[in-house]
Amino acid sequence: MAWTAPKTWTVGEMCTAALLNTHVRDNLNYLKTEADRVDDHSEGDVTGSRNLGTSYQNSTKIRICSVCGYNNAGTRMAMQAAVKVTDPGATPGVSDLADYSDYNTAPATDAYLQMFFMVPPSWYYRVNQVGTTKHVWYEWDLF
């Protein structure tokens, strides 16, 4: 069922069941169907199957990634998180269109560094660095 542009009613116009069904009931049903899709997603902890410095290609859905790194060096040290997102028509690692980097020059020992990023359908993505140790990597595929 598709959305129907609502009717502009005029004074004195006869309101019939067919008109109300088309412009009110059917549109409310359409909106409910769309609202029910909000939680249609898959998610998972992919820490064990994702490696730093490796390019992955997204599926046909919008993907949101959350990667958390950890400074377990036992000393205060610089931490960096870097992600590359690449157009599917380009060679991964050569034509990077997005580059996100967060750099903390003096975090406490045993500190975490978190980053989130979104990947369009069919695009490539690669996390190059996140702290001294990759801690967890979650992905959500939406709609």
Side-chain angles (χ1 to χ4, degrees), residues 38-57:
V38 169
D39 62 354
D40 289 352
H41 67 277
S42 61
E43 61 184 82
D45 180 347
V46 294
T47 305
S49 64
R50 294 287 189 257
N51 295 307
L52 298 178
T54 302
S55 292
Y56 299 97
Q57 187 173 22

Side-chain angles (χ1 to χ4, degrees), residues 60-111:
T60 58
K61 298 183 176 189
I62 296 171
R63 178 166 291 163
I64 295 177
C65 299
S66 167
V67 181
C68 181
Y70 182 67
N71 172 11
N72 63 351
T75 61
R76 295 175 66 87
M77 63 177 292
M79 287 179 66
Q80 182 178 14
V83 62
K84 303 277 188 184
V85 179
T86 309
D87 183 284
T91 304
V94 176
S95 303
D96 296 314
L97 297 181
D99 183 359
Y100 167 78
S101 184
D102 186 10
Y103 191 75
N104 187 340
T105 57
T109 59
D110 299 329

Side-chain angles (χ1 to χ4, degrees), residues 25 28 142:
R25 182 203 60 197
L28 287 174
L142 309 177

Side-chain angles (χ1 to χ4, degrees), residues 2 12-13 18 21 32 40 43 64 70 82-83 101 112 121 123 127 130 136 138 141-142:
E13 181 176 2
N21 287 343
K32 181 183 182 318
D40 289 352
E43 61 184 82
I64 295 177
Y70 182 67
V83 62
S101 184
Y112 290 91
W123 285 45
V127 175
V130 58
V136 292
Y138 285 94
D141 285 340
L142 309 177

